[in-house]
Amino acid sequence: MPASPSTARAINDRLALRLLQDEGPLTAGQLKTLTGLSRPSVADLVERLQQSGLIRIVGEAGEQRRGPNARVYGIVADRAHLAALDVRTQGVSVVVADLLGATLAEATLPIDSDTGTEPAVEQAVALLERTARDAGVARLHSVGIGAPGLIDPVTGELRDSGSLPAWHRRLVAALQERLPATVLVENETNLAAVAEQRLGAARDQDDFVLLWLGQGVGAAVVLGGKLRRGASGGAGEIGFLPVPGTGGLPSATGCDAGFHALAGAAAVRELASRHGIEADAEEAVRVAAASDSGGPGGPGGAFLDALAGQLAVGAAAVAAVLDPGCVVLGGEIGHAGGTALASRVEARLATLSPVSTEIRPAALGGEAILRGALLTARDAAQAELFAPAHA
């Protein structure tokens, strides 16, 4: 059935807003070309969007720089403000941005492991409030939070876990209670995958797995262009994967004898030490990758070869079950390893699996979580503001 006039207008308005978001400020003529709409239809939608406060004239284009055809329209970036939080075991990072995602202010706060739950929550909330003030923002529209742990797919809440600080879960609840904003929480590795898919190494991939390599180990699964969380939110808990070489099996309460024992920061640091590189895991991988000559003679190359062998064990399991075609090595360690590590994992994986799988280094590294959280908050704000009721 053909769309009603009101539905057609809403569709056209959202199309124009998406083009202004993706392409930047445009003239009415450019909108006409990109949308395929008639000149009167474009004039009508421009008027509607201006009246709704979603777009405004931001300049003029052309040699003459005068007249209606020269007006350049852009989204009103300060129509809504967003925040993103990266909640880690050792602290929290915050960024505040406008509706287009431009950063207005950011801050990081370490939180000691012996800090009580309520004091830790208050410190984190105060950091967000202070950062918003520094950005000149009186009210936040949407807040995206990235945190380790499982997210209940039904309630959207961070599930209780004895292995994580209690203040993590309480912080999410406190923000939901205290902020007049939409508060969204997502697993940190899933958010990193969102960022890599839209801004980083997986922009051309509808199917891929992001393997997060940091203090902990996780994976995010994207199939058919969509993030897959699993029935209980546990898709990608690859640290618990039973693998050879760990001397045991993981349990329901601990992944110390799972893939985590081969790929976690402690294991990487120990492996580096055995190859004569004394540094924390991220620095050891970065130094080895920077000094890599491509051969087995130096300690850097030998260390990367050994690490690639351990990582390929988990990647082989991913390839066998999901056949994603692409695995992105993310997190601080994956990003530090760059192409030197990724190419080695790909070569080693090719000897373990008949499934062809490309291995890429992440483009965003540790900042991917905040970027993904901000994208989530921006999507939520734009979904509401760009809805037909506002057009």
Side-chain angles (χ1 to χ4, degrees):
M1 294 179 62
S4 67
S6 60
T7 300
R9 287 194 295 270
I11 292 171
N12 293 340
D13 290 355
R14 295 199 69 164
L15 173 59
L17 287 164
R18 291 300 177 189
L19 287 169
L20 289 167
Q21 174 185 302
D22 296 339
E23 303 294 333
L26 298 168
T27 65
Q30 289 170 323
L31 282 170
K32 175 181 178 298
T33 299
L34 292 170
T35 61
L37 297 172
S38 67
R39 189 177 299 277
S41 294
V42 170
D44 287 344
L45 75 82
V46 166
E47 183 178 358
R48 283 194 302 274
L49 294 176
Q50 282 186 286
Q51 290 177 348
S52 68
L54 288 173
I55 70 171
R56 62 187 170 204
I57 298 171
V58 295
E60 292 188 337
E63 293 182 3
Q64 302 300 319
R65 290 190 176 276
R66 64 176 183 268
N69 292 335
R71 293 171 185 163
V72 178
Y73 300 93
I75 290 176
V76 180
D78 59 2
R79 174 66 187 272
H81 292 99
L82 323 167
L85 288 82
D86 179 3
V87 180
R88 302 290 185 101
T89 304
Q90 305 90 350
V92 60
S93 296
V94 175
V95 61
V96 175
D98 63 24
L99 184 58
L100 291 176
T103 297
L104 303 176
E106 53 190 329
T108 298
L109 177 72
I111 295 179
D112 294 335
S113 58
D114 58 353
T115 304
T117 297
E118 290 306 318
V121 169
E122 290 304 316
Q123 289 178 32
V125 172
L127 178 70
L128 174 59
E129 293 173 341
R130 185 166 61 251
T131 307
R133 286 197 303 271
D134 291 344
V137 173
R139 182 184 183 279
L140 293 169
H141 183 286
S142 301
V143 179
I145 304 173
L150 302 181
I151 308 300
D152 190 305
V154 177
T155 66
E157 296 179 350
L158 182 65
R159 287 170 51 183
D160 195 10
S161 173
S163 62
L164 296 173
W167 66 267
H168 281 198
R169 191 164 187 264
R170 179 61 194 134
L171 172 61
V172 173
L175 291 174
Q176 290 170 332
E177 293 165 3
R178 293 163 58 169
L179 290 181
T182 299
V183 178
L184 306 164
V185 61
E186 179 59 90
N187 172 267
E188 58 180 358
T189 305
N190 286 346
L191 289 179
V194 168
E196 292 289 350
Q197 182 185 29
R198 291 170 60 176
L199 304 172
R203 281 177 290 182
D204 60 341
Q205 298 292 315
D206 286 333
D207 302 312
F208 73 98
V209 168
L210 182 134
L211 186 58
W212 182 268
L213 305 170
Q215 196 65 33
V217 177
V221 179
V222 176
L223 298 175
K226 295 183 179 180
L227 191 64
R228 308 295 177 172
R229 297 175 177 83
S232 65
E237 288 295 318
I238 199 171
F240 287 86
L241 183 72
V243 293
T246 66
L249 291 171
S251 71
T253 59
C255 59
D256 291 344
F259 181 56
H260 175 86
L262 298 181
V268 175
R269 184 173 61 250
E270 181 182 345
L271 183 64
S273 180
R274 293 204 301 267
H275 285 83
I277 303 174
E278 299 297 339
D280 65 34
E282 181 183 353
E283 182 63 17
V285 172
R286 179 176 291 109
V287 168
S291 63
D292 176 45
S293 62
F303 163 55
L304 291 178
D305 287 340
L307 177 58
Q310 295 185 179
L311 298 180
V313 173
V318 167
V321 175
L322 297 176
D323 186 19
C326 178
V327 172
V328 176
L329 301 184
E332 296 86 354
I333 294 172
H335 184 249
T339 303
L341 179 59
S343 61
R344 282 171 162 84
V345 175
E346 183 173 319
R348 180 65 179 133
L349 177 58
T351 70
L352 299 178
S353 171
V355 177
S356 178
T357 306
E358 181 183 6
I359 307 295
R360 299 180 180 181
L364 304 176
E367 68 177 88
I369 298 171
L370 267 179
R371 300 283 287 275
L374 190 58
L375 285 168
T376 299
R378 192 179 80 178
D379 288 348
Q382 291 184 351
E384 179 183 329
L385 295 172
F386 295 179
H390 294 269

